[in-house]
Amino acid sequence: MFDFDATLPLMAVQFLLLMVVLNAIFFKPLTKAIDERGEYIRSNEVEAKERLAKSEALAQQYERELAESRKQYQAVIAAAQDDAQKISAQKIAEAQQEAQAQREQAQKEIDEQKQAAMHTLEQQVEALSRQILDKLLIGV
Amino acid sequence: MLSFLTDFNFVLANLEVGQHFYWQIGGLRVHGQVFIVTWFVMAILIVASLLATRNVQRIPSGIQNLMEYVLDFVRDLAKGQLGEKDYRPWVPFIGTLFLFIFVSNWSGALVPWKLIKLPEGELAAPTNDINTTVALALLVSIAYFYAGLSKKGLGYFAKYVQPTPVLLPIAVLEDFTKPLSLSFRLFGNILADELVVAVLVLLVPLFVPLPVMLLGLFTSAIQALVFATLAGAYIHEALEGHGEEHEEH
């Protein structure tokens, strides 16, 4: 069982050969591949982080702009409502004035006609009363 | 221990511990079965690596994903032992140790080698041959000496007399116990696991050995992890040079 012979040095040589061969076809290329992948992932990560920061800044900017424009349109709406209210109040006032004026004019006309009517009535009363008087006085 | 095993060999003829399929290379005798399975293991690792890195993509899929997971695992293993600063140059060594031992152990447990008949001996995990484990353990020793010497030059040897020269014999002894414990732990665990499974299969052929086989898979994985972790720990110790970390078993 413990018979040492030339197997020992030959195995050592074979092992060293195997190590050299595996170093050339296994350890070196795969280590290189793993390291390159690590490098690639690292650089990609940095790039992605930069992009993330940039897009976050952009998003913030857009949000700010959005808030600003919201403020603006609210102001515009408020102004428009103000204007509309003013215009409608003015229109209402104008219409009321016109109506008032028309009513006054109508009143005046009515009064005039009334007076004219009264006048004619008075004349007629006078004429009638004179006729009545004439008729009565004829008898006298 | 040897007589105990040969006694068993008599009863359980299937257990061929200590028998080897010898090859003659020049004037050298080598264990052929170890080399055959080692080549199989190396082929698995190389083919998997080639498939994974044939077309490397940024978004991994399929086998590339699997091998990246494996690489991450051994990288974390090395990082955990050596620290963030100087683990990188040692990843191939520790990673290859882990992968080679792990695939060896599991190939011994999962591949039905018994179906392939050898003239002598049997195919099994390369790690159940003491030559393999000692070779790996000695490589770890060389590695941590190299780590210490290349980092601190001859000042590395100062750690033998720190904090006090009284501990010099123990420090020197450690350099021998480290490879010894590394190699015997791996060898013993894998061999014992295969023996237990073989004995149980002989006694109760069906179902009963299954839990032990599962346990064997678990042990095999743990042993690969332990070997690679300890290798990392020793190298770290040599790089740091405190000599205060103790071995774990």
Side-chain angles (χ1 to χ4, degrees), chain A residues 1-8 10-12 14-16 18-19 21-23 25-27 29-31 33-35 37 40, chain B residues 5 20 22 29-31 35 38-39 49 53 56 58 60 68 71 75 88 92-93 96-97 131-132 134-136 139 187 191:
Chain A
M1 189 157 52
F2 298 111
D3 44 354
F4 294 101
D5 50 22
T7 312
L8 196 159
L10 284 177
M11 283 304 295
Q14 278 191 355
F15 177 83
L16 289 178
L18 179 70
M19 187 176 84
V21 171
L22 282 191
N23 189 32
I25 64 170
F26 171 53
F27 291 107
L30 276 194
T31 306
I34 289 176
D35 288 351
R37 185 179 310 132
Y40 172 76
Chain B
L5 278 167
H20 298 292
Y22 285 108
R29 271 152 71 89
V30 297
H31 300 166
F35 282 91
T38 302
W39 294 335
S49 305
T53 55
V56 175
R58 182 174 286 150
E68 278 193 16
L71 179 61
R75 249 157 61 119
R88 274 176 177 268
F93 181 67
T96 311
L97 267 180
N131 289 288
T132 312
V134 170
L136 296 179
L139 283 178
F187 165 70
L191 184 68

Side-chain angles (χ1 to χ4, degrees), chain A residues 96-106:
Chain A
Q96 274 177 342
Q97 252 173 2
E98 204 175 324
Q100 188 77 26
Q102 277 181 352
R103 201 198 293 150
E104 270 171 20
Q105 203 178 343

Side-chain angles (χ1 to χ4, degrees), chain B residues 34-54:
Chain B
V34 176
F35 282 91
I36 293 170
V37 183
T38 302
W39 294 335
F40 172 77
V41 169
M42 288 165 76
I44 288 180
L45 288 174
I46 289 170
V47 167
S49 305
L50 283 179
L51 284 178
T53 55
R54 187 187 41 184

Side-chain angles (χ1 to χ4, degrees), chain B residues 79-135:
Chain B
K79 203 192 286 180
Q81 292 305 319
L82 293 172
E84 183 76 55
K85 194 159 52 94
D86 36 25
Y87 79 96
R88 274 176 177 268
W90 292 101
V91 169
F93 181 67
I94 293 171
T96 311
L97 267 180
F98 175 79
L99 289 178
F100 178 71
I101 296 171
F102 179 77
V103 177
S104 292
N105 292 352
W106 273 36
S107 79
L110 290 178
V111 181
W113 294 113
K114 292 246 184 208
L115 300 180
I116 303 170
K117 290 269 177 256
L118 290 183
E120 209 186 349
E122 59 179 8
L123 294 175
T127 36
N128 88 348
D129 190 288
I130 188 80
N131 289 288
T132 312
T133 61
V134 170

Side-chain angles (χ1 to χ4, degrees), chain A:
Chain A
M1 189 157 52
F2 298 111
D3 44 354
F4 294 101
D5 50 22
T7 312
L8 196 159
L10 284 177
M11 283 304 295
V13 171
Q14 278 191 355
F15 177 83
L16 289 178
L17 279 179
L18 179 70
M19 187 176 84
V20 170
V21 171
L22 282 191
N23 189 32
I25 64 170
F26 171 53
F27 291 107
K28 262 189 194 153
L30 276 194
T31 306
K32 198 167 135 247
I34 289 176
D35 288 351
E36 275 175 2
R37 185 179 310 132
E39 197 60 39
Y40 172 76
I41 289 172
R42 249 196 305 282
S43 69
N44 260 18
E45 204 186 1
V46 168
E47 210 173 296
K49 266 185 191 157
E50 264 170 33
R51 262 190 233 163
L52 186 68
K54 215 183 276 176
S55 61
E56 265 171 8
L58 269 184
Q60 262 181 350
Q61 191 189 329
Y62 286 151
E63 243 161 57
R64 226 180 299 132
E65 278 174 20
L66 190 67
E68 225 163 87
S69 60
R70 194 176 288 148
K71 226 184 281 171
Q72 267 176 353
Y73 88 63
Q74 275 171 345
V76 168
I77 286 178
Q81 277 178 338
D82 241 27
D83 278 1
Q85 250 168 0
K86 236 181 264 173
I87 290 172
S88 70
Q90 196 185 337
K91 283 263 164 80
I92 287 172
E94 267 173 29
Q96 274 177 342
Q97 252 173 2
E98 204 175 324
Q100 188 77 26
Q102 277 181 352
R103 201 198 293 150
E104 270 171 20
Q105 203 178 343
Q107 190 73 41
K108 217 190 273 171
E109 271 173 27
I110 289 170
D111 283 352
E112 269 171 23
Q113 282 181 358
K114 205 158 112 187
Q115 237 159 17
M118 290 292 262
H119 199 65
T120 38
L121 266 178
E122 263 173 30
Q123 277 178 347
Q124 280 176 350
V125 164
E126 217 167 300
L128 278 176
S129 55
R130 186 153 301 184
Q131 277 179 353
I132 294 169
L133 201 61
D134 282 347
K135 275 190 184 164
L136 285 176
L137 287 180
I138 289 169
V140 176

Side-chain angles (χ1 to χ4, degrees), chain B:
Chain B
M1 186 169 179
L2 275 172
S3 67
F4 163 78
L5 278 167
T6 41
D7 282 347
F8 257 83
N9 269 354
F10 177 69
V11 186
L12 311 167
N14 264 29
L15 286 181
E16 300 176 64
V17 175
Q19 295 184 28
H20 298 292
F21 176 41
Y22 285 108
W23 285 351
Q24 289 284 347
I25 300 176
L28 304 168
R29 271 152 71 89
V30 297
H31 300 166
Q33 86 276 13
V34 176
F35 282 91
I36 293 170
V37 183
T38 302
W39 294 335
F40 172 77
V41 169
M42 288 165 76
I44 288 180
L45 288 174
I46 289 170
V47 167
S49 305
L50 283 179
L51 284 178
T53 55
R54 187 187 41 184
N55 182 17
V56 175
Q57 304 205 316
R58 182 174 286 150
I59 299 169
S61 62
I63 183 113
Q64 192 194 341
N65 223 342
L66 173 74
M67 292 310 272
E68 278 193 16
Y69 174 75
V70 171
L71 179 61
D72 258 353
F73 180 79
V74 295
R75 249 157 61 119
D76 283 349
L77 184 68
K79 203 192 286 180
Q81 292 305 319
L82 293 172
E84 183 76 55
K85 194 159 52 94
D86 36 25
Y87 79 96
R88 274 176 177 268
W90 292 101
V91 169
F93 181 67
I94 293 171
T96 311
L97 267 180
F98 175 79
L99 289 178
F100 178 71
I101 296 171
F102 179 77
V103 177
S104 292
N105 292 352
W106 273 36
S107 79
L110 290 178
V111 181
W113 294 113
K114 292 246 184 208
L115 300 180
I116 303 170
K117 290 269 177 256
L118 290 183
E120 209 186 349
E122 59 179 8
L123 294 175
T127 36
N128 88 348
D129 190 288
I130 188 80
N131 289 288
T132 312
T133 61
V134 170
L136 296 179
L138 287 179
L139 283 178
V140 171
S141 293
I142 294 170
Y144 78 73
F145 269 106
Y146 167 76
L149 287 174
S150 65
K151 176 116 185 245
K152 285 178 260 176
L154 287 177
Y156 169 66
F157 291 107
K159 78 155 190 172
Y160 285 96
V161 288
Q162 279 170 350
T164 152
V166 179
L167 293 177
L168 176 66
I170 295 178
V172 173
L173 199 61
E174 251 191 1
D175 283 331
F176 291 95
T177 57
K178 276 173 183 173
L180 200 69
S181 67
L182 266 185
S183 56
F184 274 75
R185 180 186 307 114
L186 181 57
F187 165 70
N189 271 294
I190 303 308
L191 184 68
D193 172 51
E194 291 193 355
L195 283 179
V196 167
V197 170
V199 168
L200 270 178
V201 168
L202 279 173
L203 296 176
V204 200
L206 281 178
F207 302 121
V208 176
L210 272 179
V212 183
M213 287 176 176
L214 286 178
L215 187 69
L217 282 182
F218 180 66
T219 320
S220 303
I222 291 294
Q223 284 311 313
L225 187 65
V226 165
F227 200 103
T229 308
L230 281 180
Y234 294 159
I235 293 167
H236 173 70
E237 205 178 312
L239 286 173
E240 295 291 311
H242 292 311
E244 4 188 89
E245 282 130 325
H246 292 288
E247 274 189 79
E248 42 179 298
H249 286 282

